Amino acid sequence: MPDLEPDEPLAEVMTCEVFGTLRLHPWFTETGLEEDFYSLAVKRAQAYGWTTTLHSAGTEPDSIRWHHAEAAQDWSQDGQIRRLAALEIYPVAPRGQALPILPVTQIVTDCLDRVGKTRLTSYRYQLPVHLAADPGTDAADGDAWFALSPPAAAVQAEITAELPLSAQDKIVDSLSGGNVLNLGQGHPAPQAGSGHPPEYADEPATRPWTWPLRLPEWSPSAVAWATAALCDVLRETYVRYTTIRVDHRGPCGSAPRAPGES
């Protein structure tokens, strides 16, 4: 990537991180492959046609949704919940296109599933919300899609977003006023500092706010749908950047688990 000035669109990053446990396939370690998460993510994204490293800057196909930035992995084989993968991209926002939340989530989970058996507990996204297109039909279409999920697949989850302190009350009221996620008032989450990466350090002070969430299933697609739906609402309230985290809390009908409890 060429050097970018802070006010250029490609200077703004989007990140998808996945947490859980990973047991590598025996054949992955035994074959001595040199593949790491970043190389797998590049290959998979190119296979879908969402991005490419095969063209120089400015000559990519019109379908490009992002440029690769960085990636990280922790595939320790100790059975502990870890940040298994993180993919950082420069999103491209063609006219009328939403942020590529589902495509990026799919890439990350495809790559993890390819190298081992996963048990995923949380997803975290850092999003330049203002780059998203005007809210369209994505949330409504997802609602119809997940209406076909098996009833027994529903899970209890929590969704947390970093909200600017200056507009926190307004945003919470807006979210509790009725939306596809059926969020209520929620509650403040333990303060963990600003959710903005270093590039956004000059953004207003934020506070994490958590809502209980019933997901129709615990899948990468359902998590991405919920994240995109919340992102749409936040954009309507003029939030520019946020961090959204979705945590699994157990099957519907059971007591929610404490954070970090397996």
Side-chain angles (χ1 to χ4, degrees):
M1 285 294 299
D3 292 336
L4 298 167
E5 295 298 324
D7 59 348
E8 291 187 63
L10 289 185
E12 304 195 56
V13 297
M14 170 180 160
T15 303
C16 173
E17 302 167 280
V18 174
F19 299 80
T21 61
L22 170 67
R23 185 173 70 250
L24 292 171
H25 295 312
W27 55 88
F28 179 80
T29 56
E30 290 171 359
T31 54
L33 292 174
E34 295 295 328
E35 301 284 6
D36 60 9
F37 171 67
Y38 184 81
S39 63
L40 288 171
V42 168
K43 292 179 175 67
R44 195 60 173 162
Q46 290 179 167
Y48 279 115
W50 288 326
T51 188
T52 181
T53 58
L54 305 179
H55 296 261
S56 59
T59 67
E60 307 91 341
D62 293 339
S63 60
I64 291 299
R65 301 302 309 282
W66 71 81
H67 297 274
H68 290 288
E70 301 292 342
Q73 68 189 58
D74 184 346
W75 294 349
S76 302
Q77 297 295 285
D78 56 8
Q80 299 299 308
I81 293 177
R82 297 184 176 276
R83 187 181 72 160
L84 300 177
L87 184 61
E88 182 181 88
I89 65 169
Y90 299 107
V92 178
R95 186 169 60 87
Q97 289 279 11
L99 285 173
I101 295 172
L102 175 57
V104 171
T105 304
Q106 195 67 52
I107 290 298
V108 173
T109 54
D110 275 4
C111 294
L112 290 175
D113 287 342
R114 198 62 180 165
V115 301
K117 179 69 173 178
T118 61
R119 183 175 69 88
L120 305 182
T121 59
S122 303
Y123 296 73
R124 184 169 64 194
Y125 302 86
Q126 291 176 337
L127 302 172
V129 178
H130 69 288
L131 293 184
D134 290 332
T137 61
D138 289 352
D141 287 348
D143 195 28
W145 177 267
F146 292 109
L148 300 177
S149 299
V155 299
Q156 293 177 342
E158 287 181 343
I159 190 165
T160 301
E162 291 277 347
L163 305 181
L165 289 174
S166 60
Q168 175 184 285
D169 293 342
K170 176 183 177 182
I171 295 169
V172 171
D173 288 345
S174 174
L175 287 167
S176 63
N179 52 73
V180 71
L181 297 179
N182 296 312
L183 299 178
Q185 282 286 329
H187 57 84
Q191 183 65 46
S194 172
H196 302 309
E199 292 86 347
Y200 309 144
D202 59 346
E203 286 298 304
T206 63
R207 183 178 190 179
W209 199 272
T210 295
W211 296 266
L213 175 66
R214 182 188 184 278
L215 281 177
E217 61 190 44
W218 184 248
S219 67
S221 293
V223 169
W225 164 69
T227 300
L230 181 53
C231 181
D232 277 353
V233 177
L234 294 179
R235 184 182 182 278
E236 289 184 301
T237 55
Y238 303 104
V239 172
R240 288 180 57 80
Y241 305 98
T242 193
T243 295
I244 294 177
R245 178 170 176 137
V246 183
D247 294 282
H248 184 275
R249 289 292 177 250
C252 283
S254 70
R257 293 184 231 176
E261 183 179 342
S262 60

